[in-house]
Each structure stands twice: as C-alpha cells, then as structure tokens.
Amino acid sequence: MEQAAGCPAVGGSYPQKNAEILSSQYGINLFLAGLLLTFAWAVHAVGISKSHLLSYLITLMLIQLLWMLWYLCRSCTQRRLIRDKDTHAGARWLKCGITLFAVITLILDSFKIGYYIDFSNCLSPTEGIFPVTHAVHTILQVYFLWCHAKDVIQSFKTLERFGVIHSVFTNLLLWTNGVLTESKHQLNEHKERLITLGFGNITIVLDDHAPQCNCTTTTLCSIFSQGIYYLYPFNIEYHILASTMLYVLWKNIGRKVERHQQSKTPFKFHGITVGMIFGLIVLTSTIAIVVVYLIQIGGSKIKSELALTMFYLHAIFVLALMCTAGIVALLIYRLEDRSLDNSKNPARKLDAELLVGTAAGSWLLSWGSILAIICAQGHPKYTWYNLPYSVLVIIEKYIQNLFIIESIHREQEKGNDAIKTLRIVTISRGSTLSLTPLSKEIYNGRAAHDNGDIPCLFKGSICGGENDAAGVAREETSQESSLVMHSASDFSFYSRNSVTNNKRRILKNIAAFLFLCNLSLWIPPAFGCRPEYDNGLEEIVFGFEPWIIVVNLAMPFSIFYRMHSAASLFEVNCKT
C-alpha cells in the first residue's frame, strides 16, 4: 500500500522534469539561432543585414510581451490567493538597481529613435521599430520583475517554464547585441589609437556600419550617435541583470519553499564610515584617471604612454588595497566559529556560479598579458607595469570570490542585537532598590514581570529578605559576594559581545570599501578605458585579429563581474 501510494508522487515528478529539460533546450536553441544571426551580421555575411537581426529580436520581444501580459492578467484574477514567495530572490536594492539601468536604457532608446528620424531616408524601418518595441518591453519587464520576481509558480508550470526561459534568453540576446555594437565602436577607436603608439605595421581597416546618406540635422545626429555609445554600458548591465532575475524565477517553478526563510536585512550607513570614506576616495580618483586617460590616449605617443602608465599604477595600488582588505576579512572569518547555511537557495547558488564564471574573463586577459610580456622581444617601459597589474587581477579575484561566497553562505548571528544596555545595580545598606533583570535573563525570556514581582538577581539574595533582623546580615554578606561573582561574569559576557561587534564593524567596513572599489573598477572598461586594447604588446605577440577576438569575448564578462561583485558585496554588508 505504501509503495502504491508513493508511485503517483514519484511518477508525477517526471513530467515536470521533462518540462524543465525541454524548456531549457528550447531556450538554448533560441539563443544559438540569434547568436549566429548576430555573428553573420557582424562579419558582413552575404544575404544577412541588420534588419534581419532586428526583426528576429523584435519577434522575441513581442512573444515575451504577450507572455508577461498573460501572466499579469492571471495574477490579477488570483490576487486573493496566498502564494509562496522566495524571500532571497528579487531583493529591493536589486530592483532599484535594475530600475536605474532601465531608465538610462529608455534614454538610449529615445536617442535611437532620434537617430532613425534623422537618417530615415536610408535606414530600414526595423531600425525605427526596434527602439520603440524595446522601450515598451523594458517598461513592462521592470514592472513584472518588481511585482513577481519573488514568485514560486505552482500552477501552469509547464507553460510558465517556456515563458520564463524565453524571457531569459531574449534578454541574453539583447545583451549580446548591445555588447557587439559597443565592442565594434570601441574597436574602431582602438585601431585609430594604435597609430599614435607606433604600431604602424597593424593594418587599420575600420568596420563601419554608418548610414550611406546625409543627416537632416547635423548637430542632433552628432549628439545622438556619440551619446548612444556612452549609454550602452548601462543597457548591457540592465539586460544581464534582468536575465539573472528571470533565471532564478525559472529555477523556482514548482519548488517547495521552506517556511523559516530569512527575514529582511536593511542596509544601514551606521558603522561603515571608514570603509565609505576610503571607497569614495578610490571612486573619485578612478573617475579622474578615466577622464585623463580618454583625453590623453591617442593624442601622441608620449601622451599615450603616460596615460597607460598612470592607469597601471593607479590600478596596482587599488588592487593591492582590495587584496589586503579581503585577506583581513578572511582571517576574521577563520577566528570565528559560525556554521554555514547549506539550505537550497537558487539565487545564492547562481550568485556563486556567476562570480567564478565571469571572473574567468579577467583571468583569460590577465594570463594573455603575462604571456605576451614574457614572450615579447621588445618591451616599452609602460608594459612592465602590466605584469604586476595582471598578477594582482588574478589574485584579487581569488580572494574576493572566496570572501563573498563564504559571506553569503554564513548564517546570521542571532541574539546580540536584542541586548542594548546593562544596568549596573549598586546595592547599599539601607537604600531603596529598583532592580532590573540581567541582560542574560532578558535574552532567555526569564524576566519575571508577569506578576509584578521583583526578580531574584542573586542566588539566596533579597527575595524574601524581610523575614527577621538576623537574616539581614546574612543577606548583605550573600549579596556582596554574589555581586562580585555576577559582575565578573557580566564583564566577561560583554567583553565577548564587544569583540563580536568590533569584528562585525570591521567586516562591514571592508564590504563597503570593496563595494565602492568594484564600482570604481567597473567604470574604466565600461566607458572605453581598456589598456588591453591600447598597449599594443599583446597584438604583436598573438596577432591583431586573434587578440581582438579574445578581448571582445572576455571583456563583457570582466565588466559584468565587477557589477555583480558590487551587488553581492552590498548584500554582504546588509547581512553582516
């Protein structure tokens, strides 16, 4: 009977497992088709134009829009039902971050619409339809993620799996399209800069997709065409964040949620002043370095070499500080004895996998630079700074990944937050006493307030101390000895509590400092400050085209790593 009763439950899992496999394969094929179409347009394949690629992306966005509208309408009709929620997914700060990137993406779409209007005589209609569709898609998707990122779907599971995975890979294709467009622009600028560094033996052929007609308003065209590329980094981050949030939603379909999930952990500025000050100094100096770098690079050979040297020295200093901070944090963890939370958590698992996976992009570039320095026959002076920079990039990511992954898996401390003060009770002969329970008794719920009785603070102490005159002397002696004993234990307890609070304060400052440092290191590659392009040594050793392919493949992962690390460190700061 037990086996017969168990069979349906076991058999019932197979359709859902098959639905998960089928939906994932559907998404992968959807992505591969779009990836090949993107590649064909990038290499000017015969018969493939930009309008074909945009038509494919528009179709995918429209399908996702229909699915999201259906899901929202169904949710409205069932809004009175109590639904399971994954409290770890879709944190408020993550929603705020994706909203900020979405707003800038809408500005980018408006620039594209203006660009199309100015060049409408020679552009395909799809180039005007695409930004309009993308703007509507962005608005509805952000609303959907704000309202339903935490959902654990338990109905229409097969259909929802296909809808969510379609959304995941649609965003990945839009991310790929943005990365490719931005990389082609960076590559054209890079080819022009190489001449100033003296690498004249590299063939300069610009990959130009500019419209073959005149602009109706020259000034506006210049603003739109230049402004678009400064906004692309935010568009790229928006789509990758959206795809990760949707992926967690997909993994949560049909999941049984644990009822004792973690409560909200709000961010507080209290106690992180030191980390914020040092982090803001790094952020300010990085912005200044990027501005100077973009002005100087390509101006002349001397200016370009000075810009590269300045960048490497600044980056070496920042990375060394980050390594030191990470090591200190790990040493503090080694001194603590706290268990790890090994419960099933798709969002946390994805965070750890993304940290390690995207770090591989930076490691690939760093090892390429190290090999180029070792194998090159000639070494301009500035290239020697590239060696410690590349080594520190590898080490810093090792340390930071370990710190973040251990932090998000550590169980939060419970108990010390409720203890605020200790009232020191002074017992003197003949005085009127107003006694308060000890903090330990408060924490353990043993305070005797129920009947209005005065709690007994000491064994054999003043409870019932009004019996006779002979008992008063014994009670006073007992009180004095008990006071000494309890004062010693309370002092020991609060000493340990003080040490724990100091450790927490140090860890919060380290997390805040690393958070701002990762934001700082996201800025240079996102806005065109890329020494991997500009120093020229790697192109000589590996060849221009092979190295450019490596950089274009690895750089998007390197950029995403910094933003994802910043988001993870923000969560670490909230939990610490």
Side-chain angles (χ1 to χ4, degrees), residues 251-299:
K251 291 295 290 184
N252 276 330
I253 295 176
R255 176 189 165 203
K256 293 182 179 179
V257 181
E258 299 175 5
R259 296 299 175 185
H260 57 280
Q261 293 199 51
Q262 186 178 338
S263 59
K264 293 182 180 180
T265 50
F267 176 76
K268 296 179 180 179
F269 284 100
H270 178 69
I272 58 171
T273 307
V274 177
M276 291 292 289
I277 289 173
F278 281 100
L280 288 173
I281 291 172
V282 171
L283 180 61
T284 306
S285 61
T286 301
I287 293 172
I289 292 291
V290 169
V291 171
V292 175
Y293 182 96
L294 294 176
I295 293 173
Q296 295 292 329
I297 199 74

Side-chain angles (χ1 to χ4, degrees), residues 157-227:
K157 288 183 280 191
T158 300
L159 177 62
E160 304 297 11
R161 285 187 191 277
F162 279 88
V164 178
I165 205 67
H166 177 93
S167 305
V168 170
F169 284 102
T170 297
N171 277 278
L172 283 178
L173 278 174
L174 291 169
W175 171 74
T176 304
N177 180 61
V179 166
L180 179 64
T181 306
E182 198 263 347
S183 295
K184 288 169 77 69
H185 174 74
Q186 293 290 342
L187 182 57
N188 284 340
E189 290 189 345
H190 163 60
K191 288 177 179 179
E192 294 172 347
R193 290 172 187 165
L194 287 177
I195 296 295
T196 63
L197 283 171
F199 296 100
N201 55 338
I202 297 175
T203 305
I204 307 297
V205 180
L206 297 182
D207 187 8
D208 194 7
H209 285 278
Q212 302 300 317
C213 64
N214 294 325
C215 174
T216 55
T217 310
T218 307
T219 305
L220 286 177
C221 286
S222 177
I223 293 172
F224 290 146
S225 60
Q226 294 299 320

